[in-house]
Amino acid sequence: MKSSKSIIVGLSVVLALFFSYTFTAQTAVNPELKKQKPDTIKKVKVVVEETIEDTTLVINGKYKFYKKKAHASYYADRFHGKRTASGKRYDRNKLTAAHKKLPLGTLVRVTNESTGKSVIVEITDRGPFARGREIDLSKRAFVLISGSHNSGTAIVTLEVIEVEKKSP
């Protein structure tokens, strides 16, 4: 019984010496540690700059009718972060879409026929590959025009935006 107590006391002395040596070695390397109390936490001010894209998109151009009563759906969450056909990574929080035939980079106004809400998206990928679907929207774009993502599809009108190019 006495031998187990002496082992515990010996280990605690060894640990105390080890930690005191470690602290003195750190203060020799970094003199700022001597000034700080070891039990206080240094407060660090963190500044986060966040750029929010796609919030207000002002387009000068003409809306050219493309298709009425088109079936729209939204990308599955498993594609988040994967590369698209344009080379960009898919982000479910951006206003992007996939279409089979429209050129990549085309801006399209998608209007939900039942709610009347519309959103402008950029075609960044190919698809959808489900029969009867015309366009796959990012999750954010779909929620903006439908109000929720509980319904998986919506009937929409597609209009291609022809941007006016200014000559120098």
Side-chain angles (χ1 to χ4, degrees):
M1 191 73 170
K2 288 186 179 182
S3 63
S4 65
K5 285 184 181 179
S6 62
I7 292 174
I8 292 173
V9 170
L11 284 176
S12 61
V13 169
V14 170
L15 287 174
L17 289 173
F18 173 75
F19 286 120
S20 65
Y21 173 75
T22 305
F23 183 71
T24 55
Q26 287 177 353
T27 55
V29 174
N30 189 356
E32 291 292 320
L33 289 176
K34 285 183 182 178
K35 296 177 185 176
Q36 294 179 4
K37 294 180 182 176
D39 57 85
T40 60
I41 299 173
K42 188 175 181 180
K43 294 181 181 176
V44 178
K45 186 177 181 182
V46 178
V47 178
V48 177
E49 290 186 25
E50 184 177 347
T51 305
I52 301 174
E53 298 178 7
D54 302 335
T55 52
T56 53
L57 189 60
V58 179
I59 303 291
N60 292 329
K62 296 179 183 178
Y63 295 99
K64 183 180 176 185
F65 174 78
Y66 185 76
K67 189 165 186 178
K68 193 174 181 120
K69 293 187 179 181
H71 287 77
S73 58
Y74 64 91
Y75 274 89
D77 286 336
R78 70 174 185 257
F79 295 115
H80 182 70
K82 304 241 172 143
R83 291 229 183 255
T84 61
S86 66
K88 297 178 183 177
R89 292 201 180 271
Y90 167 67
D91 185 356
R92 66 176 162 237
N93 299 314
K94 291 192 176 183
L95 300 177
T96 59
H99 194 272
K100 293 176 189 169
K101 297 177 183 175
L102 288 173
L104 298 174
T106 303
L107 296 176
V108 179
R109 180 166 70 174
V110 181
T111 306
N112 189 339
E113 294 183 4
S114 62
T115 63
K117 294 180 182 180
S118 64
V119 66
I120 296 173
V121 296
E122 179 185 2
I123 304 297
T124 59
D125 202 4
R126 293 292 169 221
F129 299 109
R131 176 175 272 168
R133 304 269 170 85
E134 184 72 26
I135 192 166
D136 255 345
L137 300 172
S138 64
K139 197 164 202 175
R140 179 176 174 210
F142 189 84
V143 169
L144 285 175
I145 64 170
S146 70
S148 71
H149 60 275
N150 292 337
S151 63
T153 62
I155 305 297
V156 296
T157 300
L158 303 176
E159 296 170 289
V160 176
I161 300 172
E162 294 177 346
V163 180
E164 296 175 358
K165 293 184 180 179
K166 294 181 181 179
S167 57

